[in-house]
Amino acid sequence: MNMKNERREREDKGGNTMTTNQAGWKIDNSYSRLPTIFYSQQKPTPVKSPEVVIFNESLAEELGLNPEALQDDEGAAIFGGNEIPEGGTPLAQAYAGHQFGHFTMLGDGRAVLLGEQITPDGERFDIQLKGSGRTPYSRGGDGRAGLGPMLREFIISEAMVGLGIPTTRSLAVTTTGEQIIRETMQTGAILTRVAASHLRVGTFQFAANWGKTEDLRALADYAIERHYPEVDGQENRYLSFLKKVIKRQAALIAKWQHVGFIHGVMNTDNMTISGESIDYGPCAFMDTYDPATVFSSIDRDGRYAYGNQPYIGGWNLSRFAEALLPLLHEDEDEAVKLAEEALSEFPEIFEAEFISGMRLKLGIFNEEKEDKSLISDLLNLMNEHKADFTNTFKALTFDQLEGSEMFQAVDFTKWHGKWQERLERQEQSKDDVHELMRDNNPGVIPRNHRVEEALNAAVNGDLSVMVKLLEVLANPFEHSAEQAEYCKPAPSTARPYRTFCGT
Ligand code: AMP
Ligand code: MG
């Protein structure tokens, strides 16, 4: 069969075509069955000459897609938005959000959901094109995205996968053959993003502000069915749902803290209901340990600083709980009471998640009350001595206590003694401890200068640096000799590092 001829035959008025299905698409559109206020039907705007720059074959396979059928023109046409995969009914999602504390109506201003791919295991994943043209929610924006920022999202999201942190994923980055206007002209590109769903705290805020209670209920029921089916049938399912989201977000943010990930723009529209990390704009990994670390140039007050992320997580969840109030109880006062009770647990749940992950990083198998101070004492020392976060844990793992200035300090020696005594009080052997630490302390993180180096080469046509970086980031716990170069902190000339939102 000649796929190209067939594609041409099926061209529709909007300039998009429908593809045949050798690629393995098995698409459902459950989101489009929600009340219509939640979306606008919206096809991607066709682009001049789409070309796939990078394609995630292993993710394609997990999704039940056939990488070969998505090579060349076929994949480029779909990932560029010129063709709609069979069964897809594209739409732009409506949502609102608190951006740096200010509430606004938002929505997919430059993205469309093509549909939900059902995997061979029966799992459901959103397939979204980001940078695919204007939508009714674009406001003043052009609906487009630049190659650099889309590749950046590809790198960081796949690094998160390697680190074992729940995240949206990146299937492809496709150039459009068109330029976009930012501070300078940039190559236009589209990211194909894969997510457990794109439901956000902001989607619920949109429902609460612009929908009827039935709309809000429909959205909550949908989210429960998709992400928390276990609460179905419980006495107050919406309260259980709230508690589950609180738990998952606490666990997620704890995982960010364990690797020094700074999201940079934790607006409520960038917080998922599924518990996946989403929207890799100005995010970056902390090198020198300092809770006040901020990379984003627009975060002037440090609202989204490393040390503030747990607090902001709680703040965002309060906005989520507020949105859910009409479903929690018919009596408003009672609803507020239930919401407050649930929210009051967040700090404790977060701390428990944080401490338990830090125990693993220090090779601790069981629980002692003093572990908390053992951990905070170390972090304080790291702050005082401006120690590299990742490399300090790596050094402790391999007992390589030269190099860093902190390891020579008397206070550190005292701390080290206490830590050794702590390890001796558990029954596990030194080897067990070492193994636990290896598995929980990444050797490599996407260091800012490495990410920049890969992106600079990639936007100039050389993808090899990025491909190599992705390979290393896929196995951050390997601690191999080949990875040693990637463990080095940035030279001082590359600091302070700044990220920008001009995506
Ligand atoms: P973000 O900062 O990526 O979370 O985006 C915040 C909001 O701005 C979302 O509603 C986006 O869809 C929208 N947005 C960002 N960039 C553009 C753009 N180039 N064109 C239209 N909307 C955009
Ligand atoms: Mg966003």
Side-chain angles (χ1 to χ4, degrees):
M1 175 171 39
N2 185 328
M3 306 257 297
K4 282 205 180 130
N5 281 345
E6 182 165 273
R7 279 216 302 270
R8 234 170 265 135
E9 273 163 31
R10 299 177 66 185
E11 213 161 293
D12 67 11
K13 279 190 220 130
N16 313 91
T17 53
M18 301 288 284
T19 69
T20 51
N21 208 6
Q22 297 183 353
W25 295 109
K26 193 177 171 203
I27 293 189
D28 187 30
N29 302 277
S30 66
Y31 193 88
S32 71
R33 299 192 281 274
L34 279 172
T36 53
I37 62 156
F38 287 111
Y39 62 92
S40 299
Q41 285 186 351
Q42 176 67 56
K43 286 182 179 167
T45 307
V47 299
K48 202 165 138 198
S49 49
E51 234 174 272
V52 176
V53 176
I54 188 157
F55 180 67
N56 193 336
E57 270 191 37
S58 65
L59 176 58
E61 274 160 12
E62 283 176 44
L63 290 168
L65 296 172
N66 174 5
E68 260 145 54
L70 288 167
Q71 299 290 332
D72 306 324
D73 293 0
E74 176 76 8
I78 288 178
F79 302 131
N82 290 3
E83 281 186 13
I84 308 302
E86 190 172 292
T89 59
L91 57 86
Q93 295 180 323
Y95 54 85
H98 275 89
Q99 300 192 300
F100 288 91
H102 303 287
F103 189 64
T104 329
M105 172 62 202
L106 296 161
D108 287 334
R110 54 163 171 176
V112 292
L113 176 66
L114 294 176
E116 302 133 25
Q117 171 75 358
I118 310 298
T119 71
D121 294 342
E123 283 189 284
R124 178 182 298 267
F125 287 99
D126 278 9
I127 308 289
Q128 191 203 58
L129 299 184
K130 178 173 173 180
S132 55
R134 287 179 52 78
T135 79
Y137 314 111
S138 294
R139 300 171 290 164
D142 63 357
R144 292 299 183 189
L147 177 59
M150 294 306 98
L151 290 175
R152 194 165 195 283
E153 174 153 348
F154 194 113
I155 295 174
I156 307 286
S157 62
E158 291 307 301
M160 295 295 259
V161 175
L163 291 165
I165 300 178
T167 179
T168 64
R169 298 197 62 182
S170 300
L171 182 61
V173 174
T174 308
T175 48
T176 58
E178 296 165 13
Q179 295 278 301
I180 61 164
I181 305 167
R182 295 294 182 263
E183 271 149 36
T184 55
M185 296 297 272
Q186 283 189 29
T187 304
I190 296 173
L191 172 77
T192 306
R193 181 157 75 180
V194 177
S197 85
H198 284 83
L199 296 173
R200 306 150 191 264
V201 167
T203 321
F204 282 83
Q205 291 180 290
F206 168 77
N209 275 271
W210 285 284
K212 302 191 207 75
T213 303
E214 295 88 89
D215 297 322
L216 179 66
R217 191 183 303 277
L219 183 67
D221 288 341
Y222 178 76
I224 288 172
E225 192 184 335
R226 210 162 156 181
H227 300 300
Y228 302 93
E230 66 275 20
V231 311
D232 204 14
Q234 292 193 3
E235 199 184 315
N236 189 341
R237 62 206 302 262
Y238 302 112
L239 180 63
S240 305
F241 168 51
L242 170 62
K243 288 183 176 174
K244 294 270 177 185
V245 175
I246 289 173
K247 238 186 152 137
R248 251 189 233 180
Q249 279 295 337
L252 176 67
I253 297 169
K255 284 190 177 0
W256 291 355
Q257 302 305 91
H258 293 145
V259 295
F261 173 75
I262 303 173
H263 185 283
V265 59
M266 284 177 74
N267 297 332
T268 54
D269 52 302
N270 292 337
M271 186 186 245
T272 60
I273 300 304
S274 67
E276 286 183 344
S277 321
I278 195 171
D279 257 344
Y280 298 98
C283 63
F285 282 71
M286 176 169 66
D287 30 32
T288 304
Y289 177 76
D290 180 354
T293 306
V294 169
F295 291 113
S296 170
S297 56
I298 58 166
D299 190 4
R300 290 193 191 89
D301 304 324
R303 180 181 171 89
Y304 300 138
Y306 171 79
N308 220 27
Q309 295 191 127
Y311 167 77
I312 292 293
W315 192 90
N316 288 351
L317 290 164
S318 300
R319 306 290 79 77
F320 178 52
E322 268 164 24
L324 285 181
L325 284 178
L327 304 182
L328 295 181
H329 203 282
E330 56 201 20
D331 177 72
E332 202 184 321
D333 290 341
E334 198 54 36
V336 169
K337 213 176 109 203
L338 292 172
E340 279 175 351
E341 271 167 22
L343 289 165
S344 71
E345 288 172 19
F346 175 80
E348 249 170 76
I349 300 172
F350 169 78
E351 190 178 274
E353 292 283 348
F354 178 71
I355 301 286
S356 71
M358 291 303 282
R359 280 198 184 96
L360 304 178
K361 286 174 81 72
L362 288 174
I364 299 173
F365 284 84
N366 57 355
E367 293 181 18
E368 281 184 14
K369 216 166 165 283
E370 294 73 32
D371 293 340
K372 193 177 154 183
S373 62
L374 187 72
I375 292 160
S376 59
D377 288 350
L378 174 64
L379 293 174
N380 288 337
L381 280 166
M382 287 165 65
N383 192 10
E384 195 183 314
H385 293 277
K386 301 190 175 6
D388 184 274
F389 183 74
T390 306
N391 285 353
T392 298
F393 286 100
K394 188 169 156 63
L396 293 174
T397 304
F398 291 92
D399 197 24
Q400 287 167 346
L401 305 181
E402 307 88 40
S404 159
E405 176 242 329
M406 177 177 97
F407 299 140
Q408 320 306 323
V410 178
D411 285 350
F412 174 78
T413 309
K414 276 193 207 152
W415 178 87
H416 192 266
K418 265 201 217 162
W419 175 48
Q420 290 303 308
E421 284 166 23
R422 173 67 182 90
L423 294 181
E424 275 156 31
R425 284 200 298 276
Q426 61 186 10
E427 60 190 31
Q428 283 77 9
S429 69
K430 275 206 154 127
D431 285 350
D432 295 337
V433 167
H434 177 66
E435 202 177 306
L436 187 67
M437 291 181 71
R438 274 183 76 114
D439 292 347
N440 286 282
N441 292 306
V444 274
I445 51 163
R447 297 225 174 234
N448 301 321
H449 64 300
R450 288 288 183 180
V451 173
E452 292 302 319
E453 175 190 55
L455 292 178
N456 278 332
V459 299
N460 289 304
D462 172 13
L463 219 70
S464 64
V465 186
M466 175 167 160
V467 169
K468 182 79 193 71
L469 179 63
L470 286 169
E471 249 174 61
V472 174
L473 292 171
N475 299 297
F477 302 103
E478 198 176 272
H479 301 286
S480 63
E482 297 84 69
Q483 293 186 342
E485 274 301 306
Y486 289 87
C487 302
K488 292 186 181 158
S492 58
T493 48
R495 303 186 202 198
Y497 184 66
R498 281 279 160 270
T499 56
F500 299 92
C501 252
T503 57

